[in-house]
Amino acid sequence: MALALNKRYLQYFYEPVAESFEDGFWQAIKQKRLVFQRCKNCKEFLHPPRPMCYKCHSYDLEWVESTGKGKIYSWVVFTREVHPLYRVPFEVVLVDMEEKGVRFISNMAEGKPEDLHFGMPVEVVFMPINDEWSLPWFRPVK
Amino acid sequence: MTIKNKACIVGIGSTEFSRVSGRSEIHMAVDAAMAACHDAGLKPEQIDGAVKFGTAGQNCTEFTTETDVARCLGIRNLRYFVEAPWGGGACCATVLHAALAVANGMADYVLCFRSLKPASGTVRYGRPTRVPIDAHWSYTMPFGFASPTSWVAMITRRWMHETGATNDQLGWVAIVCRENAVRNPRAIFYGRPMTMEDYYRSPMLCDPFRMNDTCLENDGAVALIVTTPERAKHLRQKPAYIIGASEATAWDSYCMTSYYRDYIGIQEMEEAGKELWKQTGLTPKNMDVVQFYDAFTSLVPMQMEALGFVKVGEGGPFCEGGDRIRPTGELPINTSGGMLSEAYIHGMNMIAEGVRQIRGTAITQIKNVEHVLVTGGLGVPTSTLILGQGR
Ligand SMILES: [Zn+2]
């Protein structure tokens, strides 16, 4: 269960693209690391990344390693195919990360849709997509 | 100083709403514009301003330009033109911009229009047939999170969790809109009723949304003409006065996935509502009928809460059984069938229905209408409009 890619359609994978200020996020993903942007000045997390801290207007921003842990905030279950790469049924989860104020959209690597619940603890696991990309998916914390 | 009673809608026009229009978006836009001119009693060449839909993150652009329309209608030149962005969020904003223009002498007669061909054209709104190139989508698309239904389903599940709203209550929204469409010969679902059984039988698309929670996908165009009350005196129709209008973003607004703020709701509508009530001095109690943007069933009770028609947590129960939102109820909604059951023209057909309610010419006409509220699309920056009988 969880998301099983139909690799026949791998050519249709939507390759992430990045503006200069968010390139660090995606470069880390390519190295199977989940990082979030944080303001060096006021320590506010900024996700998705921005060129400037909205809180103190500092440009001095850094990439901070995530604990990879969070809790399910909401989710949907695709039951009708909209993209051939993604076999239905599969879940898209919105995870409240341990990093304050950071939410992350992702997929489930393990488990069943009916087992998902609000506040469910999950942890990141990198799933290889193609030669270039692995993506941070989630699995239930055992 | 406000926009109140300084501008009015004097013409409405539309094509037929269909699954296959058999003609181009430009052709439909021109058909709707001509119909609006005839309705108003204007010569097309008198139009000297235009407001079109702009882009929403490069996803749903209006492909028909104001120049496409001008060269067909024989308009020598437009002296005012502007785009309202954010897809369906733009609908009431087109009238807002037109009102500002005519009230300030920037144009005499402004045409607002939307032409859509998702049913038989190359761009299907429910499906990722075009790959958006803005980097924001990198946080959604690689995870197969690729349909408007799924993006609104995400906020709907959380809202149902927070408020206790039920699928039955969403079903009642769909059923009441369908009842209104069944009486409306323009509606795609004219004469085709729906029961709660039908609602539950419709296929699950993206849990928690079934097919019958989602709006239509159709071809069609709607055009509106805005001018001043002075000019309206010489025209054919009873004017629908613009009493107030608002646009709003909210904290950390994104296109469809504003998921990174405290609560993933429709804060854009909360902001638009605050501005609208402050600007007009009116309250939800003054609204005799509402055309709620209903791309998805849940957006109706969510907007009732966001705009202060009911308290948070009461939107779902308000729709239960349908009686309070039926034409005979305390808050009649979406009297033409809405976008769930009349047609999906990014809210412009809802404004046209608002105008008919003010004129007294709607098929499902509410009695003694003083004010109509129309709302714009959600999940995006949005807009609102109050139409009224005027002075
Ligand atoms: Zn800062």
Side-chain angles (χ1 to χ4, degrees):
Chain A
M1 281 310 291
L3 173 52
L5 296 175
N6 186 345
K7 298 237 170 171
R8 278 175 56 209
Y9 295 98
L10 211 47
Q11 56 182 313
Y12 298 118
F13 175 59
Y14 179 95
E15 302 262 349
V17 292
E19 301 282 357
S20 56
F21 59 82
E22 58 196 341
D23 200 41
F25 176 83
W26 291 109
Q27 289 305 323
I29 295 282
K30 280 190 179 177
Q31 299 159 18
K32 300 189 175 57
R33 291 167 50 229
L34 182 60
V35 299
F36 294 116
Q37 190 186 46
R38 189 173 69 180
C39 175
K40 271 190 178 173
N41 181 45
C42 75
K43 307 295 180 195
E44 185 79 1
F45 278 101
L46 308 164
H47 183 78
R50 311 174 201 205
M52 177 197 275
C53 172
Y54 73 89
K55 212 167 179 182
C56 71
H57 300 157
S58 170
Y59 287 101
D60 201 6
L61 310 171
E62 61 184 342
W63 300 105
V64 178
E65 208 81 26
S66 169
T67 65
K69 290 186 164 46
K71 291 178 174 167
I72 300 283
Y73 178 79
S74 191
W75 73 94
V76 300
V77 184
F78 279 77
T79 43
R80 174 167 289 197
E81 182 189 291
V82 295
H83 188 303
L85 178 58
Y86 302 86
R87 286 186 207 269
V88 293
F90 72 95
E91 314 89 332
V92 174
V93 293
L94 183 58
V95 181
D96 258 337
M97 300 301 297
E98 283 189 344
E99 290 77 19
K100 186 174 171 288
V102 177
R103 268 198 208 115
F104 193 73
I105 296 166
S106 187
N107 300 121
M108 290 301 286
E110 299 173 15
K112 296 190 191 109
E114 53 270 30
D115 293 336
L116 290 175
H117 57 268
F118 294 99
M120 175 175 162
V122 290
E123 62 188 4
V124 76
V125 50
F126 273 85
M127 297 297 286
I129 306 295
N130 59 19
D131 292 344
E132 193 182 359
W133 288 99
S134 288
L135 288 180
W137 290 8
F138 284 80
R139 66 183 174 202
V141 175
K142 296 205 173 80
Chain B
M1 203 183 90
T2 68
I3 195 69
K4 185 179 178 182
N5 287 334
K6 288 175 185 158
C8 43
I9 300 177
V10 292
I12 55 176
S14 89
T15 62
E16 78 289 0
F17 305 131
S18 73
R19 303 286 190 179
V20 185
S21 58
R23 56 202 195 280
S24 70
E25 276 191 25
I26 294 175
H27 192 150
M28 289 190 289
V30 168
D31 289 349
M34 283 302 286
C37 289
H38 286 305
D39 180 61
L42 275 172
K43 294 190 197 113
E45 56 267 32
Q46 287 176 276
I47 301 291
D48 61 351
V51 188
K52 70 186 275 288
F53 275 53
T55 59
Q58 304 164 4
N59 259 359
C60 42
T61 307
E62 167 69 77
F63 296 109
T64 307
T65 65
E66 60 275 28
T67 50
D68 288 330
V69 175
R71 62 186 289 273
C72 291
L73 264 55
I75 296 167
R76 180 186 164 84
N77 79 307
L78 293 167
R79 61 192 182 104
Y80 176 83
F81 42 93
V82 67
E83 294 184 2
W86 300 110
C91 60
C92 297
T94 65
V95 176
L96 180 155
H97 292 299
L100 292 177
V102 299
N104 289 290
M106 304 304 285
D108 294 343
Y109 303 100
V110 178
L111 179 76
C112 306
F113 66 92
R114 182 66 167 130
S115 185
L116 275 167
K117 201 181 172 182
S120 71
T122 52
V123 177
R124 294 199 57 185
Y125 280 61
R127 309 210 177 168
T129 43
R130 299 168 77 216
V131 177
I133 56 168
D134 24 355
H136 158 57
W137 294 106
S138 298
Y139 300 94
T140 60
M141 294 292 181
F143 303 96
F145 195 36
S147 71
T149 303
S150 65
W151 301 327
V152 177
M154 186 71 87
I155 65 172
T156 295
R157 184 184 298 279
R158 185 72 200 187
W159 170 77
M160 291 171 82
H161 172 64
E162 302 259 348
T163 64
T166 65
N167 278 111
D168 262 30
Q169 291 162 355
L170 302 187
W172 283 112
V173 173
I175 288 166
V176 169
C177 287
R178 183 65 67 86
E179 289 169 359
N180 293 340
V182 162
R183 292 185 289 271
N184 172 10
R186 282 185 310 273
I188 300 259
F189 279 119
Y190 173 57
R192 290 161 63 192
M194 174 171 60
T195 63
M196 189 60 87
E197 269 190 349
D198 297 332
Y199 169 76
Y200 278 111
R201 258 203 306 267
S202 76
M204 191 68 89
L205 299 184
C206 187
D207 194 343
F209 278 154
R210 292 171 173 77
M211 178 84 88
N212 280 337
D213 287 303
T214 71
C215 64
L216 286 152
E217 199 176 31
N218 51 255
D219 294 359
V222 170
L224 313 165
I225 296 170
V226 176
T227 190
T228 58
E230 290 69 31
R231 289 191 184 87
K233 283 177 196 157
H234 311 290
L235 298 176
R236 186 173 291 154
Q237 303 289 351
K238 174 179 169 183
Y241 284 81
I242 292 148
I243 307 300
S246 67
E247 284 187 292
T249 67
W251 182 256
D252 213 8
S253 286
Y254 271 98
C255 182
M256 297 307 290
T257 53
S258 300
Y259 292 167
Y260 308 102
R261 49 199 187 194
D262 282 0
Y263 171 58
I264 55 164
I266 52 167
Q267 286 94 322
E268 287 75 10
M269 190 53 78
E270 291 173 23
E271 301 286 355
K274 273 185 226 162
E275 166 63 21
L276 188 70
W277 305 134
K278 190 179 77 174
Q279 184 191 103
T280 59
L282 298 170
T283 73
K285 288 200 169 21
N286 298 112
M287 301 300 113
D288 301 302
V289 50
V290 182
Q291 312 298 329
F292 283 118
Y293 197 96
D294 59 344
F296 302 97
T297 49
S298 60
L299 294 176
V300 171
M302 288 175 82
Q303 288 180 88
M304 288 178 182
E305 295 177 1
L307 289 163
F309 282 87
V310 297
K311 292 197 182 75
V312 172
E314 294 177 353
F318 195 93
C319 299
E320 183 89 45
D323 282 345
R324 300 170 85 177
I325 54 175
R326 286 195 167 98
T328 47
E330 64 205 85
L331 183 62
I333 67 157
N334 303 11
T335 41
S336 64
M339 289 186 289
L340 289 165
S341 277
E342 184 193 38
Y344 176 75
I345 312 290
H346 260 167
M348 294 298 270
N349 52 316
M350 316 283 279
I351 301 177
E353 174 67 6
V355 171
R356 285 188 289 265
Q357 289 291 345
I358 293 295
R359 290 180 182 176
T361 59
I363 288 161
T364 298
Q365 180 65 44
I366 306 303
K367 288 197 182 75
N368 305 318
V369 171
E370 179 66 30
H371 294 115
V372 183
L373 172 65
V374 190
T375 67
L378 279 317
V380 285
T382 193
S383 56
T384 66
L385 173 67
I386 295 175
L387 297 172
Q389 298 288 354
R391 287 163 270 223

